[in-house]
Amino acid sequence: MRALLRQRRTMVRAGLAAAAALSLAGAVFVPAGPVAADTDPPSGTPATVSADPLPTAQVNGVVWSMATVGNTVYATGSFTKARPAGVAEGGAGEVARSNIMAFDLTTGKLSTTFVHTLDGQGLRIIASPDGSRVYVGGDFTQVDGKPHGHLAAFDTTTGALIDSFAPNVHNRVRAIAATDSTVYVGGNFFNVNGSGRTRLAAVKASDGSNVGTWRPTADDDEVYALALYGDRVLVGGKFQKLNGETHVGIAAVSANNGGTLPWSSRPIPTKLDSKHFSYVTDLRVDDGIVYAGADGEGLHWYDGRFAAKADTGDLVWLDNCYGATYGVYPVANEVYSVSHAHDCTSLGAFPDTSPQTNHRALSETKAATGTDRGAPGTNSNYSRQPVPSLLHWFPKLAIGSFTQQYQAAWAVTGNGGYVAMGGEFPKVNGKAQAGLVRFAVKADAPNKVGPETADLKAPTASLRSGGIRVSWKTTWDMDNATLKYQVLRDGGTTPIATLEKSASFWNPATLTYTDTSAPKGAHTYKIRAVDPNGNAATSAASNSVRR
């Protein structure tokens, strides 16, 4: 253990030394301070979607990736069946769906017109810029019994497989980005349509034939994510070298000829060995900024999210929450992500616990709001860099066992009014909901998630010279930071006092009230916590105090 700690300290010092030479010219700051965004936030703070899970079609396996076109979500992964919300596996309405399906984002209902079969799992699905197509890549070699080597396209208007687009990628496709004329792919392949390619390739959208002039190379490891910005293709993954040059985890290449383009920041630390490294899992470009998720393997290797200017790579912010991030979805003024976050000290939020507690769906600000409050990660190139604020949105996704990785959500998407998540979770907020779930903005949500009853303990009552003092700890609510606390005397339902307080689950506050009007005799007290939507939780009664 001592040797491991000495090794870690050495790596951290090396990372900090490298940080001195890095520029944060791309950083965007807003005044630092507490941010308690939720469905009913303070003025000027972005509102999140509600934490109410909406009824959504379910799957019997895992969803790895999703894409939204209009009100339709296309999902791919490893599953054989889909069923309506509220139906147990094998129950009424369950139908065959082989590794790809679609559902309505506004109703949650399974599509009956988009029905296809992949003979292997799908790993990435994306929409074309005009939304007329979705492209899917993965481990499959056939679609609907027809040869489609690891990459296929579907018409979103008719739902049909596009037979004319049939490139033959010889191995796994994990990443896809597209223009109207060109489809860029990445993964762990070395041949496309009979021509050599090293984990990156481009094919024509018209017929799937190779774009011969685009031949960048991810030299030493897999590509996991691609994104487009103007004439730049942003490449993320496990690689340490791209086009024969050192580029750790992320780089930019020309969309025209594949040549390396400038990228100024170094968010992914350099790999130590096969068990200690970080890599990019997802990339999304929104309004000129690329948002990324990362997975770190080993003690305190980078696991969080970062934002950078898509045209230069200048770092905007980097959050160092620990607990691997699998997918990101930027929208409006928030960034939603799925992970198994367990330590967000970086953001001045929840610390690590023992036993470990994971929070598998998060939202944070798009803008930087301050500087990192935690120690830098192992081999990090940054310390005290800009960070966003964690927003108050904490739905509970149960872990699944289908992949034997014991995670919950792996993918996140949406359309502005809704956020959808896919993965292998069996429950959301304690209710059965397998593999897929939706959340809506407050106007379209039932808004029934209320204060946590389990964390609202019985208050303590004590006699004071001026009356009876009632003391209690605050509870919390999944999507509302500020709650009202009503003091109830002797089993009554009409409050004798109301206090308002904003608090989090990791930093509860102690509130007190002195009852000066209690008549002579013995008294007990309860606390009723009420959120802005009127949902309430009531504590057990306090000890009895005689006045």
Side-chain angles (χ1 to χ4, degrees):
M1 177 60 74
R2 290 180 180 175
L4 178 61
L5 291 175
R6 284 196 299 271
Q7 180 189 53
R8 181 171 180 249
R9 284 194 292 267
T10 299
M11 290 187 291
V12 169
R13 285 195 296 269
L16 290 176
L22 295 175
S23 168
L24 291 184
V28 177
F29 290 92
V30 299
V35 175
D38 49 30
T39 62
D40 192 42
S43 177
T45 302
T48 64
V49 290
S50 167
D52 292 84
L54 302 178
T56 310
Q58 305 174 86
V59 296
N60 68 341
V62 60
V63 170
W64 292 121
S65 181
M66 299 188 295
T68 302
V69 178
N71 289 327
T72 301
V73 176
Y74 298 87
T76 192
S78 178
F79 49 84
T80 58
K81 301 283 186 180
R83 61 188 189 273
V87 173
E89 189 169 353
E94 185 173 72
V95 295
R97 289 292 187 274
S98 295
N99 303 319
I100 192 167
M101 51 89 77
F103 66 92
D104 190 295
L105 189 52
T106 61
T107 66
K109 292 183 178 180
L110 179 71
S111 171
T112 58
T113 58
F114 186 82
V115 182
H116 297 283
T117 298
L118 307 182
D119 72 341
Q121 67 179 346
L123 294 170
R124 183 74 70 176
I125 191 165
I126 66 105
S128 63
D130 62 3
S132 65
R133 291 183 174 189
V134 288
Y135 295 96
V136 62
D139 289 336
F140 57 88
T141 58
Q142 292 188 347
V143 181
D144 300 340
K146 302 173 184 178
H148 283 271
H150 302 95
L151 183 63
F154 301 90
D155 187 305
T156 58
T157 300
T158 65
L161 172 68
I162 299 175
D163 290 318
S164 60
F165 180 82
N168 184 20
V169 185
H170 101 291
N171 204 357
R172 172 175 289 179
V173 170
R174 283 194 182 273
I176 311 172
T179 68
D180 290 334
S181 61
T182 305
V183 182
Y184 300 90
V185 294
N188 199 33
F189 52 81
F190 299 91
N191 188 290
V192 177
N193 294 325
S195 297
R197 295 291 188 273
T198 305
R199 301 187 177 93
L200 287 163
V203 297
K204 296 177 182 177
S206 58
D207 60 7
S209 62
N210 288 350
V211 177
T213 56
W214 202 79
R215 301 188 64 168
T217 59
D219 301 308
D220 58 339
D221 216 328
E222 286 186 78
V223 173
Y224 271 65
L226 294 172
L228 284 162
Y229 183 72
D231 62 355
R232 297 165 68 87
V233 179
L234 310 182
V235 185
K238 288 185 175 179
F239 54 85
Q240 307 287 292
K241 289 186 176 292
L242 191 142
N243 284 345
E245 306 164 1
T246 299
H247 294 280
V248 180
I250 188 163
V253 300
S254 167
N256 298 313
N257 58 30
T260 307
L261 297 177
W263 183 268
S264 63
S265 59
R266 293 175 57 197
I268 307 298
T270 301
K271 178 179 178 179
L272 177 64
D273 54 38
S274 62
K275 294 183 178 179
H276 301 85
F277 60 93
S278 295
Y279 62 99
V280 167
T281 58
D282 198 16
L283 294 170
R284 299 285 188 98
V285 174
D286 186 63
D287 198 24
I289 303 295
V290 60
Y291 299 89
D295 182 352
E297 301 295 327
L299 179 64
H300 282 181
W301 283 75
Y302 177 53
D303 263 346
R305 296 151 290 277
F306 67 85
K309 291 188 175 181
D311 59 347
T312 62
D314 292 354
L315 192 69
V316 175
W317 52 254
L318 181 150
D319 94 52
N320 198 32
C321 288
Y322 293 114
T325 303
Y326 306 116
V328 294
Y329 168 54
V331 60
N333 296 305
E334 312 95 63
V335 181
Y336 293 89
S337 60
V338 291
S339 66
H340 63 267
H342 55 86
D343 182 352
C344 277
T345 305
S346 171
L347 304 182
F350 54 85
D352 223 345
T353 59
S354 182
Q356 196 173 91
T357 305
N358 299 104
H359 305 279
R360 301 177 185 275
L362 300 177
S363 180
E364 56 199 327
T365 59
K366 274 187 174 178
T369 58
T371 56
D372 195 314
R373 304 184 197 183
T378 304
N379 231 25
S380 176
N381 295 302
Y382 295 99
S383 176
R384 302 291 294 172
Q385 77 285 346
V387 294
S389 284
L390 191 65
L391 303 179
H392 193 101
W393 185 73
F394 302 104
K396 300 176 183 178
L397 278 65
I399 61 171
S401 60
F402 180 82
T403 68
Q404 298 296 296
Q405 296 184 69
Y406 302 102
Q407 300 300 326
W410 293 94
V412 56
T413 186
N415 67 355
Y418 292 83
V419 171
M421 295 181 177
E424 58 184 311
F425 46 86
K427 295 181 179 180
V428 181
N429 294 357
K431 182 179 180 181
Q433 181 62 50
L436 292 164
V437 69
R438 301 173 299 134
F439 303 95
V441 294
K442 182 177 180 179
D444 295 316
N447 303 304
K448 294 300 183 182
V449 170
E452 294 286 310
T453 302
D455 290 335
L456 185 60
K457 308 301 183 183
T460 299
S462 57
L463 189 62
R464 291 290 190 267
S465 59
I468 299 175
R469 181 182 180 185
V470 185
S471 176
W472 69 96
K473 290 279 190 181
T474 56
T475 183
W476 66 285
D477 183 293
M478 292 185 215
D479 56 12
N480 289 115
T482 301
L483 303 176
K484 291 181 179 179
Y485 294 88
Q486 299 173 345
V487 183
L488 309 175
R489 183 204 297 147
D490 297 336
T493 58
T494 301
I496 61 172
T498 300
L499 286 71
E500 188 172 89
K501 184 66 177 177
S502 178
S504 59
F505 61 82
W506 66 89
N507 189 26
T510 298
L511 299 180
T512 61
Y513 171 74
T514 301
D515 182 7
T516 60
S517 62
K520 290 186 179 299
H523 302 284
T524 61
Y525 297 85
K526 294 181 179 180
I527 302 300
R528 184 166 60 205
V530 185
D531 73 9
N533 299 305
N535 302 301
T538 303
S539 74
S542 71
N543 56 299
S544 179
V545 173
R546 181 172 292 277
R547 187 180 187 196

